[in-house]
Each structure stands twice: as C-alpha cells, then as structure tokens.
Amino acid sequence: MSLKIPFFGLLGNRSPMDGLVEHYDKIAECIAAIDDSLECYVSGGVCREFEELTKAVDEIENHADSIKRNIRNHLPKGLFMAVEKPLFLNYTKSQDNVLDAAQDALHWLAMRKVTIPEDVQKDIIYLLDDVAKCTVLLGPALKSTIALIHGQSLDREGTKEAYRKVRRERDQVRKRKNELHKKIYAKDIDFKDIYQLIHFVDCLDDMGHNTENCAEILRSMIAR
C-alpha cells in the first residue's frame, strides 16, 4: 500500500490522523473505569460506585463518538489523505469498536447482580489486565504509524514490532478467555450467572480482538 504525499502541514494545522490519537485516549479512560468498576463489583456486588462508573463509561463512549464524527466530517479530499480513505475509515471503526465492547462489558455486569465464584474472580481480573496491556500497546503502534506516515520517523521496523507486540498480547487474551470459558461452564451455579459472566468475558475478548484489528489496519497503512 503506497503512502500519499503528506500535504497536511501545507493545508492545515492538523492532520485527521492526529484525531485518531485523541479518540484512542478515550480507550485508556474506559479501561481505567472498568478496572475500578470490576474491583468494586467483585468485592461488594453492584454498589453505587459501580453504577456511577458505568455511567462514566457511557459518557466517555459518547465523547469518543463525537470525536469520531468530527474526524469523519472534516476529512480532506482523497488526494490529500496521507493514507487511503477506506483504510482510515476502517481504522476509526475498529478503534471505536474497542470502546463499544468496553461499554457492553459493563452493561452485562450491571444487568443484574451475579456472584462471581472466588476462584474465577482472579482470572477475570487477569483477563482485564491482559486486555488493558493489549490496548495500551496500541497507543505506541498508532503514534509510530502516524510519525512514519507524516515523515517524522523512518523507523519502519520499530513500527512493525509495535504491531507484533499487540498481536502477542492479543494471543494471551484469547488463551485466557478460552480457559475462563471452560472454568465458568464447569461451575455448579445458576445458568443465568454463567450466561452473564460468559458474555462479560466475551466483551473483554472483543476489546482485544478489535485492538488487534486496529494494529492490522495500521500495518496495511504502511505496507509497500
């Protein structure tokens, strides 16, 4: 995939690629909120703080949506895009899907009170940690890609390694998700609890899956 000439600096003060970083920052806010929410939920059930944090995640996601719309509504003409517009739009969609999955994850927990078995609690927290690592690794991958596209960096191999780190962490998320599925299904608990926990785990896994998609699209942006 060939890069187009980066005319942004000549035509305006801000590249639409920079807007992706602003949108990405909302993922970090969501992860922090979910982390706090899960700790509250595991330790004390559906508490007031959990409900407040659920609303906070909704607000973060709404803000991210407005950033996404602003990016898409102010794209330069195709000739002046640093990368092909379909790739750019696919990336914004995948990155937004990470936030949507985060929002869905909390909504599944908030739907009704479910007692998480003690020996599953740590595994769920570890899964969330792995998802957080995966999404955190996307930040350097995105910024390195933008620097390369804008001609501010020549470190193509370093940028590719950033994608590989995301992929490796995503593999870890997938393995832990599969183990959690087995563990939860084996529990002698109400099937409604199993169903709810499985969906929560799947939403966390979706966050990892969409993060990996983002890295793959970034790789396509710099492919020769």
Side-chain angles (χ1 to χ4, degrees):
M1 188 66 62
S2 61
L3 301 183
K4 297 182 181 180
I5 300 173
F7 284 132
F8 299 116
L10 301 176
L11 301 178
N13 295 325
R14 195 163 186 267
S15 160
M17 297 294 290
D18 294 330
L20 296 180
V21 176
E22 185 181 358
H23 184 268
Y24 166 80
D25 287 342
K26 295 300 168 189
I27 294 177
E29 290 183 32
C30 264
I31 286 287
I34 290 179
D35 201 32
D36 290 344
S37 300
L38 189 62
E39 186 178 340
C40 169
Y41 193 96
V42 169
S43 61
V46 183
C47 56
R48 182 179 177 184
E49 183 186 5
F50 177 80
E51 293 173 354
E52 289 174 353
L53 287 169
T54 301
K55 292 177 183 174
V57 168
D58 287 342
E59 291 172 2
I60 293 169
E61 206 282 331
N62 289 337
H63 188 189
D65 276 345
S66 68
I67 294 172
K68 181 185 70 176
R69 286 193 297 274
N70 186 56
I71 294 171
R72 292 187 168 200
N73 291 338
H74 295 87
L75 288 179
K77 297 294 184 184
L79 177 63
F80 301 110
M81 288 290 292
V83 298
E84 292 185 6
K85 191 175 286 186
L87 278 179
F88 182 87
L89 294 176
N90 283 340
Y91 182 85
T92 60
K93 185 176 187 302
S94 288
Q95 189 166 273
D96 201 56
N97 286 343
V98 178
L99 288 163
D100 288 343
Q103 191 178 28
D104 289 344
L106 278 195
H107 282 184
W108 271 103
L109 276 191
M111 196 173 296
R112 56 183 278 280
K113 186 179 185 304
V114 55
T115 301
I116 302 176
E118 286 188 16
D119 61 336
V120 173
Q121 293 174 6
K122 282 187 178 178
D123 292 312
I124 290 181
I125 291 174
Y126 290 155
L127 174 63
L128 181 59
D129 284 345
D130 289 341
V131 171
K133 289 176 189 171
C134 191
T135 58
V136 164
L137 288 171
L138 180 61
L142 173 61
K143 291 171 185 174
S144 182
T145 303
I146 293 173
L148 199 62
I149 289 172
H150 287 171
Q152 299 160 347
S153 166
L154 298 176
D155 188 9
R156 180 177 293 274
E157 188 52 39
T159 304
K160 289 181 178 178
E161 178 57 26
Y163 307 150
R164 295 186 195 109
K165 287 180 179 177
V166 173
R167 195 179 306 127
R168 286 195 289 268
E169 198 58 46
R170 161 56 182 155
D171 286 341
Q172 177 63 27
V173 169
R174 184 187 294 108
K175 290 174 185 172
R176 200 177 290 282
K177 181 263 297 184
N178 290 339
E179 290 300 315
L180 257 172
H181 274 183
K182 292 179 187 174
K183 207 166 184 177
I184 293 171
Y185 271 124
K187 287 294 165 191
D188 186 18
I189 57 177
D190 193 313
F191 185 74
K192 286 192 291 187
D193 290 348
I194 291 177
Y195 189 82
Q196 195 169 343
L197 288 175
I198 288 291
H199 272 277
F200 173 69
V201 167
D202 283 344
C203 288
L204 294 183
D205 181 61
D206 281 345
M207 293 178 70
H209 173 69
N210 284 298
T211 302
E212 183 184 35
N213 282 347
C214 286
E216 289 301 312
I217 296 170
L218 291 176
R219 186 186 58 78
S220 298
M221 288 181 181
I222 68 165
R224 288 173 171 162

